[in-house]
Every structure is written in C-alpha cells, then in structure tokens.
Amino acid sequence: MALNRYICACRTVLSNCQERAAYSFPLVQQVRFAMYPNTYVDPVFDKEVYKQTDGTLPYDIAIPIKAAKNNQTSSLFYDPVVAKFTNLTMKAGQKNLARGLLRQTFEAIKRVQVEKYHKAPDSEKLKIETNPLVIFHKAIENCQPVVGLTAIKRGGKTYQVPVPLNDKRRQFLAMKWLLTEARNKPKPRLQHLPERLSREMLNAYNNEGNVIKRKLDLHKQADANKAYAHYRWW
C-alpha cells in the first residue's frame, strides 16, 4: 500500500509540473531528443573530398557517422539550386509532382530554344543557349536583388530602411518572384504552370519580364529611402 501511494504521489507531482510548464510556455512544444549523440559526426558525401592524393579521410574511421539525409547525394546530376527550387514549387508534400513540373519546364525551355536555334541564321546560332540548366541559373542570377527594405520603428514611426541582402536571401527572393509571377499571371486555361514558368525564365534570362521589373522597383524604393539608412544602427 505504501509503495502504491508513493507511485501515485509521484505521478501527481509530474502531471502538475507538466501543466505548469505548459502554462508558463504555451508556445513551446515538447520535442524528442536528437537521434544521434554529440559524438557522431555529419557524413561527407562529396566525391572530391575523397579524391585527395594523400589518401587521408575527412574524419577518423573510429568516430561514428550519422546516416546521410535523403537529399544528400554524390550524384553528378545533383544540383542544389534545382533541389531548392523544387522544394519551393512543392505543395502539400507532393515532391514527385514538383519534380515533374520542373522537368516539364526544362523541356519547354529546350523546345523553344532549339526551335529558335534552327530558325536563326548561321552567324547567330552560336549565341543561342539551348541548355535549360544554364538558362535556369542565369535567370535566377538576373532576378536576384542587391538590397532590400526592412521595417524599423523609430520615435513612434515605422520607416522602410534599405539593407543589403545576403546570398541566401537574394536567391530565395529570385525563386519566389519567379514562382509567384508564373502562378498569379492571368492564365489562358490551355496553359499550365510549366509553360508559364518557362516563359518567365526565358524573359528573366534575357533581362526582361515582370520579375526583372519587380527587382528594379525594389532598387528604386531602396534608393528613394536611402536617407533612412542610418536607422540600421541608431
């Protein structure tokens, strides 16, 4: 009987502590611990690291290694920018659908450029790019803004302060604008997302289209608000 009473008392105390913690931190949810302890190291899946002439490995063989994630691969066809764009295209976890849409987008770009290549005269054929991956990377690079605006409150007023953007943020904004423009464009019912997205990428590759205009408008707003740039520090 004494043991049962002790167990019941311990359970009551634990439940009360959990209720207090949930009340004190309503936005904090309990999560499980990490699968691997701190002694495990991250895997190195880059083949170039293992091609070193001295024969050394990037880690000691006696140290346990974590399992590689499903998006980490040593394939020659893996492109981290394409993988990130696929994740941004994905909705409701349907990655196979997102990959298929992006594949159809590249096919549409290839079809348009090859047709343009065959119609062009011989003197201009060398200037036409037919590789959709090169066009994709160039379009992302052309759409990346240099500066952005952030809201900073000073003296009861909110100012749009221009701030420089890091590479990760610039790449994200370029991808987001391309997808938003392709999805929100007034669409003919006969055109699907791959056709509209391929057209936006080709326009961005040639420094044309609404995405480039949006980037330039952001630069103009940042230049107009350059008088508030000191609010970043003060």
PDB file of all heavy atoms in Angstrom, residues 31-59:
ATOM      1  N   VAL A  31       9.612  18.318 -27.708  1.00  0.00           N
ATOM      2  CA  VAL A  31      10.116  17.569 -28.854  1.00  0.00           C
ATOM      3  C   VAL A  31      11.019  16.462 -28.343  1.00  0.00           C
ATOM      4  O   VAL A  31      11.555  16.528 -27.229  1.00  0.00           O
ATOM      5  CB  VAL A  31      10.910  18.479 -29.825  1.00  0.00           C
ATOM      6  CG1 VAL A  31       9.993  19.530 -30.423  1.00  0.00           C
ATOM      7  CG2 VAL A  31      12.062  19.151 -29.116  1.00  0.00           C
ATOM      8  N   ARG A  32      11.197  15.449 -29.178  1.00  0.00           N
ATOM      9  CA  ARG A  32      12.039  14.340 -28.770  1.00  0.00           C
ATOM     10  C   ARG A  32      13.499  14.737 -28.898  1.00  0.00           C
ATOM     11  O   ARG A  32      13.849  15.702 -29.581  1.00  0.00           O
ATOM     12  CB  ARG A  32      11.758  13.114 -29.633  1.00  0.00           C
ATOM     13  CG  ARG A  32      12.057  13.320 -31.111  1.00  0.00           C
ATOM     14  CD  ARG A  32      11.754  12.058 -31.879  1.00  0.00           C
ATOM     15  NE  ARG A  32      12.006  12.228 -33.290  1.00  0.00           N
ATOM     16  CZ  ARG A  32      13.182  12.090 -33.861  1.00  0.00           C
ATOM     17  NH1 ARG A  32      14.240  11.818 -33.121  1.00  0.00           N
ATOM     18  NH2 ARG A  32      13.333  12.246 -35.160  1.00  0.00           N
ATOM     19  N   PHE A  33      14.345  13.991 -28.231  1.00  0.00           N
ATOM     20  CA  PHE A  33      15.770  14.274 -28.297  1.00  0.00           C
ATOM     21  C   PHE A  33      16.323  13.892 -29.669  1.00  0.00           C
ATOM     22  O   PHE A  33      15.680  13.201 -30.453  1.00  0.00           O
ATOM     23  CB  PHE A  33      16.509  13.509 -27.195  1.00  0.00           C
ATOM     24  CG  PHE A  33      16.169  13.988 -25.813  1.00  0.00           C
ATOM     25  CD1 PHE A  33      15.254  13.315 -25.029  1.00  0.00           C
ATOM     26  CD2 PHE A  33      16.760  15.125 -25.315  1.00  0.00           C
ATOM     27  CE1 PHE A  33      14.940  13.756 -23.771  1.00  0.00           C
ATOM     28  CE2 PHE A  33      16.457  15.579 -24.046  1.00  0.00           C
ATOM     29  CZ  PHE A  33      15.532  14.903 -23.269  1.00  0.00           C
ATOM     30  N   ALA A  34      17.529  14.366 -29.974  1.00  0.00           N
ATOM     31  CA  ALA A  34      18.152  14.045 -31.246  1.00  0.00           C
ATOM     32  C   ALA A  34      18.409  12.545 -31.342  1.00  0.00           C
ATOM     33  O   ALA A  34      18.648  11.862 -30.342  1.00  0.00           O
ATOM     34  CB  ALA A  34      19.459  14.822 -31.411  1.00  0.00           C
ATOM     35  N   MET A  35      18.375  12.051 -32.574  1.00  0.00           N
ATOM     36  CA  MET A  35      18.576  10.625 -32.787  1.00  0.00           C
ATOM     37  C   MET A  35      20.006  10.215 -32.484  1.00  0.00           C
ATOM     38  O   MET A  35      20.249   9.107 -32.005  1.00  0.00           O
ATOM     39  CB  MET A  35      18.214  10.262 -34.226  1.00  0.00           C
ATOM     40  CG  MET A  35      18.344   8.780 -34.561  1.00  0.00           C
ATOM     41  SD  MET A  35      17.987   8.432 -36.284  1.00  0.00           S
ATOM     42  CE  MET A  35      16.296   8.987 -36.404  1.00  0.00           C
ATOM     43  N   TYR A  36      20.956  11.114 -32.754  1.00  0.00           N
ATOM     44  CA  TYR A  36      22.362  10.786 -32.587  1.00  0.00           C
ATOM     45  C   TYR A  36      22.953  11.608 -31.443  1.00  0.00           C
ATOM     46  O   TYR A  36      22.632  12.785 -31.293  1.00  0.00           O
ATOM     47  CB  TYR A  36      23.138  11.084 -33.879  1.00  0.00           C
ATOM     48  CG  TYR A  36      22.649  10.299 -35.066  1.00  0.00           C
ATOM     49  CD1 TYR A  36      21.791  10.881 -36.000  1.00  0.00           C
ATOM     50  CD2 TYR A  36      23.033   8.980 -35.265  1.00  0.00           C
ATOM     51  CE1 TYR A  36      21.331  10.176 -37.088  1.00  0.00           C
ATOM     52  CE2 TYR A  36      22.585   8.270 -36.355  1.00  0.00           C
ATOM     53  CZ  TYR A  36      21.737   8.870 -37.262  1.00  0.00           C
ATOM     54  OH  TYR A  36      21.292   8.162 -38.335  1.00  0.00           O
ATOM     55  N   PRO A  37      23.827  11.041 -30.653  1.00  0.00           N
ATOM     56  CA  PRO A  37      24.517  11.823 -29.610  1.00  0.00           C
ATOM     57  C   PRO A  37      25.556  12.756 -30.217  1.00  0.00           C
ATOM     58  O   PRO A  37      25.803  12.759 -31.428  1.00  0.00           O
ATOM     59  CB  PRO A  37      25.162  10.739 -28.730  1.00  0.00           C
ATOM     60  CG  PRO A  37      25.303   9.554 -29.616  1.00  0.00           C
ATOM     61  CD  PRO A  37      24.149   9.608 -30.575  1.00  0.00           C
ATOM     62  N   ASN A  38      26.166  13.541 -29.357  1.00  0.00           N
ATOM     63  CA  ASN A  38      27.118  14.545 -29.838  1.00  0.00           C
ATOM     64  C   ASN A  38      28.402  13.931 -30.384  1.00  0.00           C
ATOM     65  O   ASN A  38      29.176  14.610 -31.057  1.00  0.00           O
ATOM     66  CB  ASN A  38      27.459  15.519 -28.715  1.00  0.00           C
ATOM     67  CG  ASN A  38      26.240  16.309 -28.265  1.00  0.00           C
ATOM     68  OD1 ASN A  38      25.342  16.559 -29.064  1.00  0.00           O
ATOM     69  ND2 ASN A  38      26.207  16.688 -27.004  1.00  0.00           N
ATOM     70  N   THR A  39      28.650  12.683 -30.071  1.00  0.00           N
ATOM     71  CA  THR A  39      29.888  12.052 -30.547  1.00  0.00           C
ATOM     72  C   THR A  39      29.834  11.698 -32.031  1.00  0.00           C
ATOM     73  O   THR A  39      30.876  11.454 -32.641  1.00  0.00           O
ATOM     74  CB  THR A  39      30.173  10.790 -29.735  1.00  0.00           C
ATOM     75  OG1 THR A  39      29.037   9.909 -29.807  1.00  0.00           O
ATOM     76  CG2 THR A  39      30.437  11.141 -28.269  1.00  0.00           C
ATOM     77  N   TYR A  40      28.639  11.666 -32.641  1.00  0.00           N
ATOM     78  CA  TYR A  40      28.505  11.335 -34.056  1.00  0.00           C
ATOM     79  C   TYR A  40      28.820  12.568 -34.912  1.00  0.00           C
ATOM     80  O   TYR A  40      28.547  13.695 -34.508  1.00  0.00           O
ATOM     81  CB  TYR A  40      27.091  10.845 -34.369  1.00  0.00           C
ATOM     82  CG  TYR A  40      26.834   9.412 -33.962  1.00  0.00           C
ATOM     83  CD1 TYR A  40      26.863   9.030 -32.627  1.00  0.00           C
ATOM     84  CD2 TYR A  40      26.549   8.442 -34.902  1.00  0.00           C
ATOM     85  CE1 TYR A  40      26.626   7.725 -32.241  1.00  0.00           C
ATOM     86  CE2 TYR A  40      26.300   7.122 -34.532  1.00  0.00           C
ATOM     87  CZ  TYR A  40      26.344   6.769 -33.206  1.00  0.00           C
ATOM     88  OH  TYR A  40      26.111   5.478 -32.846  1.00  0.00           O
ATOM     89  N   VAL A  41      29.388  12.352 -36.081  1.00  0.00           N
ATOM     90  CA  VAL A  41      29.754  13.443 -36.991  1.00  0.00           C
ATOM     91  C   VAL A  41      28.878  13.359 -38.236  1.00  0.00           C
ATOM     92  O   VAL A  41      28.329  12.308 -38.564  1.00  0.00           O
ATOM     93  CB  VAL A  41      31.246  13.376 -37.374  1.00  0.00           C
ATOM     94  CG1 VAL A  41      32.116  13.563 -36.155  1.00  0.00           C
ATOM     95  CG2 VAL A  41      31.565  12.057 -38.074  1.00  0.00           C
ATOM     96  N   ASP A  42      28.770  14.474 -38.932  1.00  0.00           N
ATOM     97  CA  ASP A  42      27.979  14.533 -40.158  1.00  0.00           C
ATOM     98  C   ASP A  42      28.698  13.815 -41.296  1.00  0.00           C
ATOM     99  O   ASP A  42      29.932  13.852 -41.377  1.00  0.00           O
ATOM    100  CB  ASP A  42      27.725  15.985 -40.552  1.00  0.00           C
ATOM    101  CG  ASP A  42      26.849  16.698 -39.544  1.00  0.00           C
ATOM    102  OD1 ASP A  42      25.977  16.038 -38.963  1.00  0.00           O
ATOM    103  OD2 ASP A  42      27.044  17.918 -39.348  1.00  0.00           O
ATOM    104  N   PRO A  43      27.964  13.169 -42.182  1.00  0.00           N
ATOM    105  CA  PRO A  43      28.618  12.461 -43.297  1.00  0.00           C
ATOM    106  C   PRO A  43      29.147  13.441 -44.341  1.00  0.00           C
ATOM    107  O   PRO A  43      28.621  14.545 -44.517  1.00  0.00           O
ATOM    108  CB  PRO A  43      27.488  11.597 -43.870  1.00  0.00           C
ATOM    109  CG  PRO A  43      26.244  12.341 -43.531  1.00  0.00           C
ATOM    110  CD  PRO A  43      26.498  13.011 -42.205  1.00  0.00           C
ATOM    111  N   VAL A  44      30.192  13.034 -45.027  1.00  0.00           N
ATOM    112  CA  VAL A  44      30.772  13.802 -46.127  1.00  0.00           C
ATOM    113  C   VAL A  44      30.483  13.022 -47.403  1.00  0.00           C
ATOM    114  O   VAL A  44      31.033  11.942 -47.631  1.00  0.00           O
ATOM    115  CB  VAL A  44      32.286  13.992 -45.932  1.00  0.00           C
ATOM    116  CG1 VAL A  44      32.872  14.769 -47.104  1.00  0.00           C
ATOM    117  CG2 VAL A  44      32.575  14.709 -44.621  1.00  0.00           C
ATOM    118  N   PHE A  45      29.587  13.562 -48.233  1.00  0.00           N
ATOM    119  CA  PHE A  45      29.142  12.850 -49.428  1.00  0.00           C
ATOM    120  C   PHE A  45      29.698  13.445 -50.714  1.00  0.00           C
ATOM    121  O   PHE A  45      29.276  13.069 -51.806  1.00  0.00           O
ATOM    122  CB  PHE A  45      27.605  12.853 -49.494  1.00  0.00           C
ATOM    123  CG  PHE A  45      26.994  14.211 -49.397  1.00  0.00           C
ATOM    124  CD1 PHE A  45      26.742  14.947 -50.520  1.00  0.00           C
ATOM    125  CD2 PHE A  45      26.665  14.752 -48.169  1.00  0.00           C
ATOM    126  CE1 PHE A  45      26.185  16.202 -50.443  1.00  0.00           C
ATOM    127  CE2 PHE A  45      26.101  15.998 -48.075  1.00  0.00           C
ATOM    128  CZ  PHE A  45      25.863  16.732 -49.216  1.00  0.00           C
ATOM    129  N   ASP A  46      30.634  14.371 -50.598  1.00  0.00           N
ATOM    130  CA  ASP A  46      31.251  14.966 -51.778  1.00  0.00           C
ATOM    131  C   ASP A  46      32.410  14.089 -52.245  1.00  0.00           C
ATOM    132  O   ASP A  46      33.337  13.791 -51.486  1.00  0.00           O
ATOM    133  CB  ASP A  46      31.748  16.374 -51.455  1.00  0.00           C
ATOM    134  CG  ASP A  46      32.191  17.120 -52.696  1.00  0.00           C
ATOM    135  OD1 ASP A  46      32.046  16.562 -53.806  1.00  0.00           O
ATOM    136  OD2 ASP A  46      32.680  18.255 -52.557  1.00  0.00           O
ATOM    137  N   LYS A  47      32.364  13.681 -53.499  1.00  0.00           N
ATOM    138  CA  LYS A  47      33.393  12.781 -54.028  1.00  0.00           C
ATOM    139  C   LYS A  47      34.754  13.456 -54.129  1.00  0.00           C
ATOM    140  O   LYS A  47      35.787  12.794 -54.060  1.00  0.00           O
ATOM    141  CB  LYS A  47      32.971  12.251 -55.406  1.00  0.00           C
ATOM    142  CG  LYS A  47      31.830  11.259 -55.376  1.00  0.00           C
ATOM    143  CD  LYS A  47      31.547  10.726 -56.764  1.00  0.00           C
ATOM    144  CE  LYS A  47      30.445   9.681 -56.735  1.00  0.00           C
ATOM    145  NZ  LYS A  47      30.163   9.148 -58.085  1.00  0.00           N
ATOM    146  N   GLU A  48      34.766  14.760 -54.327  1.00  0.00           N
ATOM    147  CA  GLU A  48      36.044  15.457 -54.488  1.00  0.00           C
ATOM    148  C   GLU A  48      36.884  15.399 -53.220  1.00  0.00           C
ATOM    149  O   GLU A  48      38.115  15.454 -53.275  1.00  0.00           O
ATOM    150  CB  GLU A  48      35.788  16.921 -54.872  1.00  0.00           C
ATOM    151  CG  GLU A  48      35.039  17.095 -56.185  1.00  0.00           C
ATOM    152  CD  GLU A  48      35.814  16.532 -57.356  1.00  0.00           C
ATOM    153  OE1 GLU A  48      37.060  16.547 -57.313  1.00  0.00           O
ATOM    154  OE2 GLU A  48      35.166  16.078 -58.319  1.00  0.00           O
ATOM    155  N   VAL A  49      36.241  15.267 -52.073  1.00  0.00           N
ATOM    156  CA  VAL A  49      36.987  15.196 -50.807  1.00  0.00           C
ATOM    157  C   VAL A  49      37.764  13.896 -50.729  1.00  0.00           C
ATOM    158  O   VAL A  49      38.893  13.849 -50.217  1.00  0.00           O
ATOM    159  CB  VAL A  49      36.018  15.331 -49.619  1.00  0.00           C
ATOM    160  CG1 VAL A  49      36.763  15.224 -48.283  1.00  0.00           C
ATOM    161  CG2 VAL A  49      35.273  16.656 -49.690  1.00  0.00           C
ATOM    162  N   TYR A  50      37.202  12.817 -51.269  1.00  0.00           N
ATOM    163  CA  TYR A  50      37.847  11.512 -51.193  1.00  0.00           C
ATOM    164  C   TYR A  50      38.886  11.305 -52.304  1.00  0.00           C
ATOM    165  O   TYR A  50      39.568  10.286 -52.311  1.00  0.00           O
ATOM    166  CB  TYR A  50      36.800  10.409 -51.269  1.00  0.00           C
ATOM    167  CG  TYR A  50      35.816  10.435 -50.133  1.00  0.00           C
ATOM    168  CD1 TYR A  50      34.583  11.054 -50.268  1.00  0.00           C
ATOM    169  CD2 TYR A  50      36.129   9.849 -48.910  1.00  0.00           C
ATOM    170  CE1 TYR A  50      33.679  11.088 -49.227  1.00  0.00           C
ATOM    171  CE2 TYR A  50      35.226   9.875 -47.858  1.00  0.00           C
ATOM    172  CZ  TYR A  50      34.005  10.494 -48.031  1.00  0.00           C
ATOM    173  OH  TYR A  50      33.120  10.530 -46.981  1.00  0.00           O
ATOM    174  N   LYS A  51      38.993  12.246 -53.245  1.00  0.00           N
ATOM    175  CA  LYS A  51      39.962  12.116 -54.327  1.00  0.00           C
ATOM    176  C   LYS A  51      41.302  12.769 -54.006  1.00  0.00           C
ATOM    177  O   LYS A  51      42.101  13.001 -54.913  1.00  0.00           O
ATOM    178  CB  LYS A  51      39.382  12.720 -55.611  1.00  0.00           C
ATOM    179  CG  LYS A  51      38.211  11.933 -56.184  1.00  0.00           C
ATOM    180  CD  LYS A  51      37.708  12.575 -57.470  1.00  0.00           C
ATOM    181  CE  LYS A  51      36.533  11.795 -58.036  1.00  0.00           C
ATOM    182  NZ  LYS A  51      36.006  12.410 -59.288  1.00  0.00           N
ATOM    183  N   GLN A  52      41.540  13.071 -52.752  1.00  0.00           N
ATOM    184  CA  GLN A  52      42.802  13.695 -52.382  1.00  0.00           C
ATOM    185  C   GLN A  52      43.948  12.706 -52.556  1.00  0.00           C
ATOM    186  O   GLN A  52      43.809  11.507 -52.297  1.00  0.00           O
ATOM    187  CB  GLN A  52      42.742  14.180 -50.930  1.00  0.00           C
ATOM    188  CG  GLN A  52      41.687  15.249 -50.701  1.00  0.00           C
ATOM    189  CD  GLN A  52      41.601  15.665 -49.259  1.00  0.00           C
ATOM    190  OE1 GLN A  52      42.321  15.136 -48.419  1.00  0.00           O
ATOM    191  NE2 GLN A  52      40.719  16.608 -48.976  1.00  0.00           N
ATOM    192  N   THR A  53      45.078  13.224 -53.000  1.00  0.00           N
ATOM    193  CA  THR A  53      46.214  12.355 -53.325  1.00  0.00           C
ATOM    194  C   THR A  53      46.895  11.786 -52.077  1.00  0.00           C
ATOM    195  O   THR A  53      47.532  10.744 -52.149  1.00  0.00           O
ATOM    196  CB  THR A  53      47.242  13.143 -54.146  1.00  0.00           C
ATOM    197  OG1 THR A  53      47.627  14.325 -53.417  1.00  0.00           O
ATOM    198  CG2 THR A  53      46.641  13.566 -55.480  1.00  0.00           C
ATOM    199  N   ASP A  54      46.797  12.465 -50.930  1.00  0.00           N
ATOM    200  CA  ASP A  54      47.495  11.974 -49.747  1.00  0.00           C
ATOM    201  C   ASP A  54      46.799  10.792 -49.102  1.00  0.00           C
ATOM    202  O   ASP A  54      47.347  10.158 -48.204  1.00  0.00           O
ATOM    203  CB  ASP A  54      47.673  13.102 -48.720  1.00  0.00           C
ATOM    204  CG  ASP A  54      46.347  13.771 -48.396  1.00  0.00           C
ATOM    205  OD1 ASP A  54      45.324  13.361 -48.983  1.00  0.00           O
ATOM    206  OD2 ASP A  54      46.332  14.694 -47.563  1.00  0.00           O
ATOM    207  N   GLY A  55      45.570  10.478 -49.529  1.00  0.00           N
ATOM    208  CA  GLY A  55      44.866   9.318 -49.003  1.00  0.00           C
ATOM    209  C   GLY A  55      44.236   9.513 -47.647  1.00  0.00           C
ATOM    210  O   GLY A  55      43.779   8.540 -47.030  1.00  0.00           O
ATOM    211  N   THR A  56      44.166  10.728 -47.140  1.00  0.00           N
ATOM    212  CA  THR A  56      43.551  10.974 -45.836  1.00  0.00           C
ATOM    213  C   THR A  56      42.047  11.131 -45.985  1.00  0.00           C
ATOM    214  O   THR A  56      41.550  11.622 -46.997  1.00  0.00           O
ATOM    215  CB  THR A  56      44.146  12.234 -45.207  1.00  0.00           C
ATOM    216  OG1 THR A  56      43.919  13.343 -46.090  1.00  0.00           O
ATOM    217  CG2 THR A  56      45.647  12.070 -44.981  1.00  0.00           C
ATOM    218  N   LEU A  57      41.328  10.712 -44.962  1.00  0.00           N
ATOM    219  CA  LEU A  57      39.884  10.831 -44.929  1.00  0.00           C
ATOM    220  C   LEU A  57      39.493  12.110 -44.186  1.00  0.00           C
ATOM    221  O   LEU A  57      40.243  12.616 -43.358  1.00  0.00           O
ATOM    222  CB  LEU A  57      39.266   9.618 -44.239  1.00  0.00           C
ATOM    223  CG  LEU A  57      39.418   8.282 -44.986  1.00  0.00           C
ATOM    224  CD1 LEU A  57      38.850   7.143 -44.143  1.00  0.00           C
ATOM    225  CD2 LEU A  57      38.723   8.324 -46.331  1.00  0.00           C
ATOM    226  N   PRO A  58      38.305  12.654 -44.460  1.00  0.00           N
ATOM    227  CA  PRO A  58      37.892  13.887 -43.768  1.00  0.00           C
ATOM    228  C   PRO A  58      37.565  13.684 -42.303  1.00  0.00           C
ATOM    229  O   PRO A  58      37.336  14.661 -41.587  1.00  0.00           O
ATOM    230  CB  PRO A  58      36.658  14.330 -44.561  1.00  0.00           C
ATOM    231  CG  PRO A  58      36.149  13.088 -45.197  1.00  0.00           C
ATOM    232  CD  PRO A  58      37.356  12.241 -45.490  1.00  0.00           C
ATOM    233  N   TYR A  59      37.535  12.436 -41.820  1.00  0.00           N
ATOM    234  CA  TYR A  59      37.257  12.175 -40.408  1.00  0.00           C
ATOM    235  C   TYR A  59      37.943  10.876 -40.017  1.00  0.00           C
ATOM    236  O   TYR A  59      38.377  10.086 -40.866  1.00  0.00           O
ATOM    237  CB  TYR A  59      35.745  12.084 -40.156  1.00  0.00           C
ATOM    238  CG  TYR A  59      34.990  11.319 -41.209  1.00  0.00           C
ATOM    239  CD1 TYR A  59      35.055   9.926 -41.302  1.00  0.00           C
ATOM    240  CD2 TYR A  59      34.216  11.994 -42.152  1.00  0.00           C
ATOM    241  CE1 TYR A  59      34.376   9.243 -42.271  1.00  0.00           C
ATOM    242  CE2 TYR A  59      33.531  11.305 -43.135  1.00  0.00           C
ATOM    243  CZ  TYR A  59      33.622   9.931 -43.182  1.00  0.00           C
ATOM    244  OH  TYR A  59      32.953   9.245 -44.156  1.00  0.00           O
TER     245      TYR A  59
END
